[in-house]
Each structure stands twice: as structure tokens, then as C-alpha cells.
């Protein structure tokens, strides 16, 4: 079953169970997927759907930091709940140690030796971790490895 089919089935279940919050999140993701399909005039496959969901999760994580600064604990809780609804649709997330190992491998593969080579390392690394690790964490670990 594709991710889009899974989302459609989960949306039906949420409607039947009257889970308003979960239903709203699923509808939002399906809308974002549909918008991507219309904009790019293509049918999205599972990898592209994962990219859309990852983007939505990232937006919410970024919003949480802003809401915490503003003292809006209600919005922080809402965004955390939305992230919790979205995470099951993403592949198993890599731990920091697993990402460190991939960074080390990518540095060795590309022969990178200084921070100037960061682009090469990120180019080799991102396809391996796409949707499975936070880009900020990967970026930070690559900077550490090259310094």
C-alpha cells in the first residue's frame, strides 16, 4: 500500500472515530501532497510523499522554537501533537550515532579534509539520510567532522 493510500485510509478511520486533531493533520498533509502534484504536474511516489511529510514536520519543529520564545505553550503542545501524528508516516529515524557513522563514511569517501569540502560531503550524505534524519543535525555533525 502506498503512503497516499495509507493516508486516505487513516483519514477515513479518523473521521469514523471522530478524531478531529488527527483528521485535520491528515487533511493538511494530503492537501500539501496534492498541491505538489498540481504544481509539478506529476503523480508523487512514496519518496516524494515522504519529502512532503518531512517538510511539514520540519516546519512544525521550527514553529515550536518560536512559540516557546513567545510563551505560547498551547501552540507548542498543538505542534508537538501534529508531529506525533505525522511521524508514523516517515521511515524509522536514524540515531545520532548512526548519522555520525554515515558522516564518517562520507568524509572518507569524498576525501574531505576541511570545512571547504562540506558541499561534497553533504552531497554524498543527504541521499542516504533523506527523510530519516534531521538536516540540521546532519549539517552540525558534518561541521564537527570537518573541523
Amino acid at each position: 500500500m502506498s503512503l497516499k493510500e495509507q493516508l486516505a485510509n487513516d483519514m477515513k478511520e479518523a473521521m469514523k472515530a471522530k478524531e478531529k486533531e488527527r483528521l485535520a493533520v491528515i487533511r493538511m498533509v494530503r492537501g500539501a501532497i496534492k498541491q505538489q502534484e498540481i504544481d509539478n504536474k506529476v503523480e508523487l511516489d512514496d519518496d516524494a510523499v515522504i519529502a512532503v511529510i518531512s517538510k511539514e514536520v520540519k516546519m512544525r519543529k521550527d514553529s515550536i522554537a518560536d512559540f516557546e520564545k513567545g510563551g505560547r505553550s498551547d501552540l507548542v503542545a498543538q505542534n508537538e501533537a501534529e508531529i506525533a501524528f505525522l511521524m508514523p508516516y516517515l521511515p524509522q529515524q536514524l540515531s545520532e550515532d548512526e548519522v555520525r557513522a554515515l558522516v564518517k563514511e562520507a568524509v572518507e569517501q569524498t576525501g574531505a579534509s576541511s570545512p571547504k569540502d562540506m558541499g561534497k560531503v553533504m552531497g554524498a550524505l543527504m541521499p542516504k539520510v533523506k527523510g530519516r534524519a534531521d538536516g540540521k543535525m546532519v549539517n552540525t555533525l558534518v561541521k564537527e567532522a570537518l573541523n
Side-chain angles (χ1 to χ4, degrees):
M1 177 184 307
S2 74
L3 270 174
K4 290 196 309 185
E5 292 168 347
Q6 180 69 41
L7 283 164
N9 289 340
D10 289 352
M11 186 174 82
K12 290 175 192 171
E13 288 175 18
M15 278 190 236
K16 288 177 185 175
K18 297 190 181 357
E19 298 172 323
K20 289 182 182 178
E21 295 85 9
R22 182 171 172 230
L23 179 60
V25 171
I26 293 171
R27 281 183 172 156
M28 175 275 312
V29 168
R30 291 189 71 213
I33 292 167
K34 191 71 174 166
Q35 187 64 48
Q36 282 285 346
E37 290 178 337
I38 291 169
D39 290 348
N40 299 329
K41 296 182 173 105
V42 294
E43 184 79 14
L44 296 184
D45 60 357
D46 278 355
D47 289 339
V49 171
I50 287 172
V52 171
I53 295 171
S54 295
K55 182 179 173 187
E56 295 294 331
V57 169
K58 183 183 182 315
M59 286 179 5
R60 277 156 185 74
K61 286 182 179 178
D62 293 344
S63 295
I64 286 174
D66 294 337
F67 292 142
E68 284 174 341
K69 287 179 192 170
R72 296 292 309 266
S73 59
D74 57 329
L75 293 175
V76 170
Q78 178 185 349
N79 277 285
E80 287 173 345
E82 289 177 1
I83 289 171
F85 289 133
L86 293 173
M87 291 308 285
Y89 299 106
L90 294 176
Q92 181 65 38
Q93 298 295 295
L94 297 172
S95 70
E96 188 171 328
D97 293 334
E98 291 170 318
V99 174
R100 279 185 198 280
L102 288 171
V103 167
K104 184 179 178 193
E105 181 183 310
V107 168
E108 291 170 1
Q109 234 176 22
T110 59
S113 58
S114 71
K116 290 180 183 176
D117 300 325
M118 187 165 175
K120 288 184 201 173
V121 175
M122 291 298 284
L125 189 60
M126 287 313 287
K128 295 178 185 176
V129 300
K130 192 165 185 83
R132 297 173 46 210
D134 180 42
K136 279 184 185 175
M137 178 179 68
V138 173
N139 190 327
T140 303
L141 294 175
V142 169
K143 282 180 183 175
E144 284 176 15
L146 294 177
N147 285 333

